[in-house]
Amino acid sequence: MNNPLLPLVIVPAGTIALLAYALRPGNPVVAAGRLTLARTAVVAGGYAVVSVEVLSALRRLTTAGVVSAWLLALVLAGVAAGWRHRRDRPGGAEPRPLVVERWHALTRGERTVAVVVAGLLLAELLLALASPPNTYDSQSYHLPKIEHWVAQGDVEFYPVRIHRQVTYAPGAEYVLTHLRLLTGGDALYGLLQWSAGVVAVLAVTRLTRQLGGGRRAQLLAAFVLASAPAVVLEASSTQTDLVTAGWVACLATLILDSVGGRHRVPASAAGPGSVAGPGNAVGPDAAAEPAALAGPGTVVLLGLATGLIALTKQTGLFAAAPLLIWWGLAGLRRGARAGRPVRAAAGLAASTLVVLAIIAAVTGPYVWRVYAEFGHPLGPDYLRNSITMQRHDPAAFVVNGARQAQSLLDTPVPVLSDWTAAGVDALARTLGVDPSDPRITFDRTTFPAEVWYPSEDKAAYPVQALIMMVGAVVCLVRPALAGAARAAAGRRRAYACVLLAGLALHTGTVKWQPWGNRLFLYLVVLAAPLAGLMLAAVFTAAGARRARAVATGEVGPRSRRATGTALLAGFVTVTLVVGGVAGALSALYGWPRRLVGSQSALVLDNWHGRFVARPEWADQYVQVAAVIRASGAQYVGIVQSNDTWEYPWWLLLRGRHLLAMHSMLPHHQPNYQRIDAVVCAGPEQMCRDSVPPDWKVRMYGEVGWALPPAKAPAATP
């Protein structure tokens, strides 16, 4: 963290603060602060990715260029904030309850839930700051692409053996590029996913509120999401699934505003002291929420959010598409009810064009580069065939969904895990489908796989997934649970349909893979509000029946029903405790970042912390880099396979030109003319086959070097 460039992050931080002030809702809305957060995240994210493309086009993707871009943004945000300040009503906004007052309004159970969620977020923040990037994907393609961009001053394609550096959507890495150029390193990289996790948790609480949930439902929804092991583990990494989930959560809460409709949150659903309860009203909207927020500004935000989803991970569009369809149908329905169907249709058409134009502006440059390189906007055939389903018949769909469910619900109980896997295998055989058919299974993998353990790439979240599944079904079948008003019940059912549509699209498109659980995080954020609503209804019903039984002295069937409801609430409580423990253990003992033990992020030094997954490689990379530096070589070729670690070379050989010796890009092939040294990661024979016969080759375990005779050392360490 001792870096002279680090203070430069104050510029974007100040910009975001001014932007948040300028984007505050002008009228009473549901959870205004959380809406402000969603708006600010989308606008700041959109500016970050668009500015990278603009600077790249100007060949100014440098520290000076990025600082200039943020200084411009600071000025614009300041002007917007000043304009907003002048528009504010005299006397300021409605007074809002202080944090202390809100805390005292919570019940003991609600305080416990809030403390657990806050504790998980703080543990993740500690890991994000203390641990360097150390996942396989980060070392092989997420972070090397950033170094290539910085070295060449733009984001154009380059010769590369690891095709994922160019074929996988770069939205999250565009944001990290700002941090790289503003700080000179990767010390703050973990904050991107952590921030996305915070945005997702807070957006989920607002989604729950928009669906008619009270304070208890909001806290429980936040708990279910925040305690999911995959969320805990990814919140300190440089993967991109949680970033995608954050953008989807922002889009969803903006869509629900645009869908509109007034509703009340019944006191029975809210719980003691909750949003609709005594002492916890949220300004003038405590009884009825405002109608749709569907102005031009919201349309722009929808386009930005969708563009960010597409540029970060295209699977997120499986949720974005049904959300946007719901938005369009709701607009047409409002117009029909108002007797203006033609005007509504015209407005929707114009809004759709604006959304599509913004999506094209955000994603267009990257998509065009992919198309120009491979002749297809989704990349080469080998990429599409390895990820997307090549069978779309009902049997293949059912088997793929069953395998994905089995992986999500995998547990450390061998008997249960084996039983569910055998059940899926039997189902597949009955339907005449090979459960490991390459047409529905990721390249060179087989079903089943052990994925229960807290690994960032594979971690299952059976407790949270099961609760979310039940919540979705309950809200679909019985949306008026806990006395929800008719409008809220309708929104819940429509929302559940959107979630199921996204799940169906994912299941019918993405092949099963051992590390597929993290790919569902964008759907997890959509499902968490329904889980919160269902859980709050269970606890509210148990409390109400217990109170009624005590007050009336009921015996017989009614008393038994009260006892049954109490037992259900107790079972749910135990289940939530188990889920919370799983989340906490993921922070304490997760892989490859943990807080305790000999491999703790608080114990390992920065370099060896990067090699937790392959500790024997740490010194091997250092030895090879020392030889290259001693040789004086400036143009260093890289020999590697599709899954080897490239990023350590960029850290150890700063100031040198690193060039791939092999490339999977048809129009970007290597230039060997200026290579005066080679580093290798992989089999020795691959290295020897890639250099002239008279070059000296030396391997240190999995990595090595190759030098011409004139530069090779007489003796090697």
Side-chain angles (χ1 to χ4, degrees):
M1 298 291 286
N2 185 18
N3 192 303
L5 295 178
L6 196 57
L8 292 177
V9 299
I10 295 175
V11 181
T15 302
I16 292 172
L18 290 172
L19 191 61
Y21 181 87
L23 293 174
R24 291 179 303 125
N27 300 313
V29 296
V30 177
R34 284 167 276 176
L35 175 59
T36 300
L37 176 66
R39 289 176 171 178
T40 305
V42 169
V43 173
Y47 183 82
V49 300
V50 171
S51 63
V52 165
E53 288 288 1
V54 172
L55 291 172
S56 173
L58 299 174
R59 299 298 302 273
R60 292 292 184 271
L61 191 59
T62 61
T63 297
V66 167
V67 171
S68 300
W70 281 109
L71 287 174
L72 174 62
L74 183 66
V75 172
L76 295 175
V79 171
W83 181 64
R84 172 57 198 275
H85 180 70
R86 289 192 296 271
R87 290 182 58 213
D88 284 341
R89 296 191 305 269
E94 295 278 347
R96 299 184 61 81
L98 299 175
V99 174
V100 175
E101 295 174 350
R102 295 183 178 185
W103 176 258
H104 286 302
L106 298 177
T107 65
R108 182 179 300 176
E110 290 167 348
R111 291 179 187 177
T112 301
V113 172
V115 167
V116 171
V117 172
L120 287 170
L121 293 177
L122 288 175
E124 294 158 9
L125 176 60
L126 181 58
L127 281 170
L129 292 174
S131 179
N134 60 3
T135 61
Y136 238 93
D137 289 351
S138 299
Q139 306 283 5
S140 59
Y141 69 92
H142 282 305
L143 305 188
K145 69 169 73 173
I146 297 174
E147 297 302 321
H148 279 283
W149 296 338
V150 171
Q152 62 191 29
D154 57 44
V155 294
E156 294 298 322
F157 286 175
Y158 47 85
V160 64
R161 171 64 180 85
I162 303 174
H163 72 84
R164 291 169 294 173
Q165 290 187 22
V166 298
T167 56
Y168 280 15
E173 290 86 352
Y174 278 6
V175 180
L176 291 180
T177 300
H178 287 268
L179 290 176
R180 167 67 175 83
L181 290 170
L182 289 171
T183 67
D186 58 18
L188 300 183
Y189 278 7
L191 291 182
L192 176 60
Q193 284 254 106
W194 181 82
S195 300
V198 172
V199 169
V201 168
L202 293 176
V204 158
T205 63
R206 186 170 192 267
L207 284 166
T208 309
R209 177 68 178 89
Q210 291 170 295
L211 293 170
R215 185 184 64 211
R216 177 179 295 167
Q218 295 171 52
L219 286 170
L220 289 169
F223 176 83
V224 171
L225 175 63
S227 64
V231 173
V232 175
L233 293 162
E234 277 224 14
S236 56
S237 81
T238 48
Q239 297 277 27
T240 62
D241 306 282
L242 207 48
V243 177
T244 307
W247 297 138
V248 169
C250 290
L251 176 66
T253 195
L254 293 170
I255 290 288
L256 274 174
D257 277 339
S258 300
V259 169
R262 298 178 181 275
H263 67 274
R264 295 175 179 270
V265 179
S268 61
S274 62
V275 174
N280 198 43
V282 185
D285 65 324
E289 297 176 0
L293 301 175
T298 299
V299 173
V300 172
L301 289 171
L302 296 182
L304 273 177
T306 308
L308 288 169
I309 292 168
L311 192 63
T312 304
K313 204 157 204 169
Q314 290 95 334
T315 50
L317 293 175
F318 298 146
L323 281 169
L324 290 170
I325 291 172
W326 184 21
W327 163 69
L329 293 176
L332 293 176
R333 184 180 182 186
R334 283 197 305 271
R337 285 182 171 180
R340 296 176 294 185
V342 176
R343 181 176 177 181
L348 176 61
S351 297
T352 301
L353 289 176
V354 171
V355 169
L356 293 175
I358 294 174
I359 294 172
V362 173
T363 65
Y366 168 72
V367 173
W368 172 253
R369 283 192 290 272
V370 173
Y371 176 78
E373 188 70 36
F374 300 105
H376 194 289
L378 296 179
D381 290 341
Y382 54 80
L383 172 66
R384 302 195 306 276
N385 293 337
S386 68
I387 295 176
T388 59
M389 293 273 285
Q390 295 164 283
R391 285 185 58 176
H392 301 283
D393 55 284
F397 178 88
V398 170
V399 171
N400 199 43
R403 294 182 306 170
Q404 291 171 342
Q406 193 276 338
S407 295
L408 286 170
L409 300 173
D410 194 25
T411 70
V413 182
V415 174
L416 182 58
S417 182
D418 294 343
W419 178 74
T420 55
V424 173
D425 184 80
L427 173 65
R429 303 296 179 185
T430 300
L431 295 175
V433 177
D434 178 359
S436 297
D437 184 346
R439 292 173 294 175
I440 61 172
T441 307
F442 191 81
D443 192 27
R444 293 189 296 275
T445 62
T446 58
F447 176 86
E450 188 180 67
V451 297
W452 63 264
Y453 55 94
S455 166
E456 176 187 26
D457 284 330
K458 296 184 178 181
Y461 32 100
V463 173
Q464 293 81 3
L466 187 60
I467 292 173
M468 291 176 188
M469 291 175 185
V470 174
V473 172
V474 169
C475 289
L476 184 66
V477 175
R478 193 183 172 190
L481 62 115
R486 181 178 178 182
R491 262 196 306 280
R492 290 177 184 181
R493 177 169 284 153
Y495 185 89
C497 289
V498 165
L499 172 64
L500 293 177
L503 180 61
L505 288 171
H506 186 108
T507 301
T509 305
V510 181
K511 293 179 176 180
W512 177 89
Q513 49 190 280
W515 41 89
N517 288 339
R518 62 184 176 85
L519 303 182
F520 280 95
L521 289 185
Y522 73 96
L523 291 172
V524 167
V525 298
L526 291 186
L530 302 182
L533 292 169
M534 182 271 296
L535 292 171
V538 170
F539 290 122
T540 299
R545 288 191 175 181
R546 182 173 58 251
R548 186 164 54 248
V550 171
T552 62
E554 291 176 348
V555 294
R558 290 189 176 182
S559 178
R560 286 194 293 271
R561 281 198 297 269
T563 302
T565 305
L567 290 175
L568 176 60
F571 173 76
V572 170
T573 300
V574 172
T575 303
L576 288 174
V577 170
V578 173
V581 170
L585 291 176
S586 297
L588 294 174
Y589 297 100
W591 184 262
R593 291 170 302 283
R594 58 178 58 180
L595 288 174
V596 300
S598 60
Q599 295 177 321
S600 167
L602 306 178
V603 173
L604 294 173
D605 63 78
N606 184 275
W607 180 252
H608 288 88
R610 300 174 186 273
F611 290 86
V612 170
R614 291 290 185 271
E616 68 278 8
W617 292 356
D619 294 336
Q620 295 173 11
Y621 272 89
V622 170
Q623 290 175 322
V624 172
V627 173
I628 298 300
R629 288 195 301 269
S631 73
Q634 293 298 312
Y635 291 86
V636 182
I638 305 176
V639 175
Q640 57 197 355
S641 62
N642 191 51
D643 203 31
T644 51
W645 290 15
E646 178 182 327
Y647 187 56
W649 299 130
W650 290 96
L651 299 175
L652 293 168
L653 299 173
R654 290 276 192 213
R656 290 164 177 78
H657 303 277
L658 302 185
L659 308 168
M661 296 292 290
H662 307 94
S663 178
M664 296 187 73
L665 277 62
H667 302 304
H668 289 80
Q669 290 299 307
N671 181 357
Y672 304 108
Q673 296 179 358
R674 304 189 68 179
I675 298 295
D676 50 12
V678 168
V679 292
C680 308
E684 180 176 351
Q685 190 58 47
M686 181 176 65
C687 188
R688 293 188 180 278
D689 292 342
S690 304
V691 300
D694 60 334
W695 281 37
K696 184 172 183 179
V697 177
R698 174 70 185 272
M699 300 297 294
Y700 296 88
E702 292 293 324
V703 297
W705 52 260
L707 288 168
K711 289 182 176 289
T716 57

